[in-house]
Amino acid sequence: MLELKVQPAPLQVSSERIEILGDALRDEVNLAVWQRQLPEHLAAFASSLLAQGEPLAESLSIELADPDADPDLHGLLSGYSDLPGQAAFLADVAWLLRAYACLLDARRIGLRLRALDGAMCPRFHVDHVPLRLITSYAGPGSQWLGEGNLSRQLLGGAQALPRDGALVEQIDCGHVALVKGERWVGNEGRGLIHRSPALPAGERRLLLTLDWLA
C-alpha cells in the first residue's frame, strides 16, 4: 500500500538581516520578510512624492544581460526629477532589483510603482506568480494570514475573512517581503494568503512590486 506523504504547513520567516530573503527559496517557506528600517531620506522622498497629490502608476519590463548588471530604470519617475531625493530613491529601487535578480538568477523583471489611495486588492487572495517582491515606501504594508487561518476555498470572495481579526498579520512600511505564489514549482495550493491594507482617510501608500518574468 502506498503511503501518502503529508506536506507540513508553509512557514513564514522574518529577520532584521537581509540574508533572510534567501529563505524564500526553501520549499517550506512561502513568505520571507527583511525587516529593514527605511532610511529617513527615502521616507522623506516618498512622503514628498505622495504630497504632490497626483496619480502614479508606472511600470517597466527590465531586461538584464546578467543578474549583476545595472538595471535600466530610464523613464521611472522622470516627471519628478526636480524633487529632492529622486536620484537616491531610484538608486534604492535599482539596488533592490539587483538583489532580487541575483537571488533568482532572473533575466527579465517586471517593475510596478504605484501611489494608492485605497486598498488595491482588499480581499484575501493568493498571487498566481512564482515569487513577488513587495515593499511599501510610505503607508501601511500588506496583510497576511498563517496557514489554516482561512479556508482557501473562500479566497477572493466577500466571505474570505479569518474567524478572528487578531489572526491578521501585517508587514511594516519599509520592510521588504518575498511572497511566494501559486506558480512557484512545488508551491501549488500553498501560495501566501494576503491582501492590501485599508488606508485611513487622506492617507496614501507608495508601493513597489517586482515580478520574475524570465
Side-chain angles (χ1 to χ4, degrees):
M1 180 181 293
L2 291 176
E3 183 179 345
L4 294 177
K5 190 174 182 180
V6 178
Q7 283 186 301
L11 298 177
Q12 298 80 41
V13 297
S14 61
S15 171
E16 294 180 357
R17 296 173 58 85
I18 188 174
E19 290 84 2
I20 195 67
L21 295 179
D23 281 25
L25 303 182
R26 292 164 48 196
D27 290 343
E28 67 272 25
V29 172
N30 67 0
L31 172 67
V33 181
W34 172 31
Q35 299 168 319
R36 79 158 174 173
Q37 296 298 312
L38 190 66
E40 290 185 9
H41 68 282
L42 296 179
F45 173 80
S47 179
S48 297
L49 181 64
L50 294 180
Q52 306 299 306
E54 299 173 357
L56 177 69
E58 300 192 7
S59 61
L60 294 173
S61 180
I62 300 165
E63 302 282 346
L64 299 169
D66 63 77
D68 293 321
D70 288 329
D72 181 7
L73 299 184
H74 179 73
L76 187 66
L77 295 181
S78 59
Y80 301 92
S81 57
D82 293 336
L83 200 62
Q86 185 242 29
F89 181 84
L90 291 179
D92 188 71
V93 171
W95 187 88
L96 287 176
L97 199 149
R98 282 195 301 272
Y100 180 74
C102 286
L103 184 69
L104 297 172
D105 194 25
R107 294 295 188 272
R108 187 187 311 129
I109 293 173
L111 179 154
R112 290 183 293 176
L113 182 67
R114 286 162 289 185
L116 303 174
D117 299 294
M120 183 178 58
C121 302
R123 295 178 177 177
F124 280 108
H125 65 284
V126 294
D127 290 331
H128 292 276
V129 300
L131 189 69
R132 174 170 288 164
L133 183 148
I134 302 176
T135 189
S136 294
Y137 282 95
S142 299
Q143 297 177 331
W144 58 274
L145 293 171
E147 192 66 21
N149 290 328
L150 180 67
S151 169
R152 289 180 176 269
Q153 295 179 339
L154 299 176
L155 293 180
Q159 301 303 313
L161 293 169
R163 58 187 179 277
D164 182 353
L167 297 172
V168 179
E169 307 273 2
Q170 188 147 16
I171 300 165
D172 286 349
C173 180
H175 290 186
V176 178
L178 288 178
V179 177
K180 195 173 285 182
E182 295 290 305
R183 291 188 179 174
W184 182 273
V185 175
N187 198 58
E188 299 83 358
R190 295 164 61 84
L192 182 78
I193 297 173
H194 65 288
R195 71 178 178 185
S196 300
L199 297 179
E203 187 171 338
R204 306 181 79 197
R205 181 186 185 203
L206 184 62
L207 176 70
L208 171 73
T209 60
L210 300 178
D211 280 300
W212 181 22
L213 303 180

